[in-house]
Amino acid sequence: MTSTLATTVAPLRFLPEYEHAGPDEAATLADINEQMHRIQEKTFADGGKAIRSVHAKSHGLLVGELRIPTGLAPELAQGMFARAGTLPVVMRLSTTPGDILPDDVSTPRGMAIKIIGVTGERLPGSEADVTQDFILVNGPAFNKPDAKSFAGSLKLLAATTDKAEGAKQVLSAALRGLEKAVEAVGGHSATLSALGGHPETNPLGETYYSQVPVLFGEYFGKICVRPVSPALKALYKEPVDLRHRPDGLRDAVAAYFEEQGAEWELCVQLCTDIGEMPVEDASVVWDEAKSPYRPVARLVLGAQASWSDARARSIDEGLAFNPWHGLAAHRPLGSVMRVRKGAYEAARRFRAEKNQRAVSEPKAIADIAL
């Protein structure tokens, strides 16, 4: 893989004034932690196992490699991408709710990747680790502008967690119909999708986005992972029949990886205009015509068993994915990212305590029992 040519507009170097915490951000974090704790307490009481407060249900647990090429443009050869090489990767495919629902309650898809063997100055709390995490969802921007507005929507999620499963399935079907109507006239509703109106499509055909920016060495931008192998591209908007198949998405991922591998590009969209590409408003889609996503590495995963009890124990139960696991050169930016640090750490501690098992960072891929 070779890099694209530099864009005509030079990317902006990061300045501290691009970030500005609100006066009540600590209170917002406490509110978010409380709501996430409520979700975890409810699902633990119902199921007897502590699970994630968001993205609880996984559909694929995969391993592979991240290949960083030589010859990246200087603005792309930043942080962990400054040196060419190959590093092991763990990938987790999921959907967004904090309770384990049948897949026909169709919600946005998530991809979390953990890159192992990354060296350099670390973010606070991850000094002893050698991992870099990226947390991604199949939409280019967050559905709320900031942490405070996200806290409000999280209260509704906490109040409805694990209630009226049948009603959720009926509602999801109705919302999918509304979303199709919106898409028919060229639109998209993140709200309808988040509530259960996401099309019933294969998660392997999607492009996944960080939605909110991170430092990129001297610069800053958003991350995406997009399919490049033809078999993956062919799955874009490919329907999956989920009727009477509560784990139909997991089955679809397993069927694909039984037969073949997959390749994605990991890309960065560098900020070129702070007025139109803000740090603190996570709901703004950055214009790709002004700053395209440019590849900096390739994810290569071979054919494998994408789901097993051993993988569930090692990856689902034994690992945590958090954008604050990583290098200082890729520090998460903006209020949504800042509150994620404490919220994700609290959720990890809850799982470790209730399940009475360590949730730790691997030093090598061999640390993960597959």
Side-chain angles (χ1 to χ4, degrees):
M1 183 188 75
T2 58
S3 77
T4 58
L5 296 175
T7 53
T8 55
V9 178
L12 296 178
R13 284 178 166 79
F14 179 76
L15 297 175
E17 54 261 38
Y18 293 157
E19 273 193 298
H20 43 86
D24 55 353
E25 195 161 286
T28 298
L29 172 58
D31 191 11
I32 288 173
N33 283 349
E34 179 184 351
Q35 302 310 319
M36 288 193 167
H37 185 75
R38 284 181 61 194
I39 292 170
Q40 286 188 294
E41 286 280 15
K42 175 60 177 171
T43 54
F44 178 71
D46 288 346
K49 177 183 282 189
I51 57 177
R52 290 167 171 83
S53 52
V54 291
H55 289 272
K57 187 172 186 179
S58 58
H59 306 292
L61 304 170
L62 299 150
V63 294
E65 296 179 339
L66 182 83
R67 299 177 182 174
I68 304 170
T70 59
L72 288 174
E75 68 272 22
L76 301 180
Q78 299 283 323
M80 66 168 288
F81 305 99
R83 295 183 299 277
T86 299
L87 296 168
V89 166
V90 179
M91 177 186 290
R92 180 179 186 264
L93 300 172
S94 62
T95 38
T96 56
D99 43 355
I100 306 295
L101 298 169
D103 289 347
D104 61 356
V105 180
S106 190
T107 57
R109 286 78 166 96
M111 174 189 285
I113 58 176
K114 186 179 294 291
I115 305 157
I116 304 171
V118 178
T119 58
E121 182 185 353
R122 305 288 305 179
L123 288 164
S126 73
E127 292 88 350
D129 302 327
V130 293
T131 52
Q132 174 68 53
D133 291 1
F134 293 112
I135 311 300
L136 315 163
V137 179
N138 65 323
F142 200 63
N143 62 1
K144 297 293 179 183
D146 53 32
K148 189 171 184 177
S149 56
F150 172 61
S153 63
L154 194 60
K155 289 179 181 178
L156 174 62
L157 181 64
T160 59
T161 293
D162 215 36
K163 289 184 178 179
E165 181 179 293
K168 287 183 180 181
Q169 290 172 289
V170 173
L171 176 62
S172 181
L175 292 172
R176 288 195 300 275
L178 288 173
E179 175 62 17
K180 286 180 182 178
V182 172
E183 291 180 357
V185 294
H188 168 71
S189 170
T191 300
L192 291 177
S193 182
L195 289 174
H198 191 285
E200 293 179 313
T201 51
N202 195 311
L204 293 175
E206 300 284 350
T207 295
Y208 292 86
Y209 302 84
S210 67
Q211 301 190 322
V212 280
V214 300
L215 279 182
F216 202 80
E218 298 177 56
Y219 307 96
F220 61 107
K222 297 185 180 184
I223 303 296
C224 90
V225 170
R226 62 190 180 197
V228 290
S229 49
L232 284 185
K233 288 183 174 181
L235 295 176
Y236 179 60
K237 293 188 176 181
E238 180 70 18
V240 178
D241 185 359
L242 300 176
R243 290 173 298 177
H244 312 298
R245 299 177 64 203
D247 299 320
L249 295 180
R250 184 180 299 169
D251 295 342
V253 173
Y256 177 93
F257 276 99
E258 282 176 4
E259 302 292 334
Q260 59 194 314
E263 295 189 17
W264 291 263
E265 285 180 330
L266 191 151
C267 308
V268 62
Q269 182 188 32
L270 295 174
C271 180
T272 58
D273 184 334
I274 192 62
E276 296 192 17
M277 303 175 182
V279 167
E280 293 293 350
D281 188 342
S283 66
V284 174
V285 177
W286 291 10
D287 189 348
E288 292 187 46
K290 294 187 175 182
S291 180
Y293 279 96
R294 302 165 66 190
V296 294
R298 183 162 290 206
L299 285 158
V300 181
L301 281 65
Q304 57 192 285
S306 65
W307 184 267
S308 68
D309 289 342
R311 289 191 179 209
R313 286 191 296 271
S314 294
I315 299 174
D316 247 2
E317 300 175 21
L319 296 183
F321 295 86
N322 184 335
W324 288 86
H325 292 161
L327 297 182
H330 301 303
R331 177 172 63 84
L333 302 174
S335 71
V336 169
M337 284 292 212
R338 287 193 295 273
V339 299
R340 277 179 170 173
K341 186 177 190 296
Y344 280 35
E345 287 172 352
R348 178 193 59 79
R349 288 194 299 270
F350 182 92
R351 289 198 292 131
E353 176 186 342
K354 295 297 185 181
N355 294 336
Q356 297 187 330
R357 66 160 298 168
V359 178
S360 58
E361 291 298 290
K363 301 296 185 185
I365 195 68
D367 295 340
I368 301 170
L370 300 173

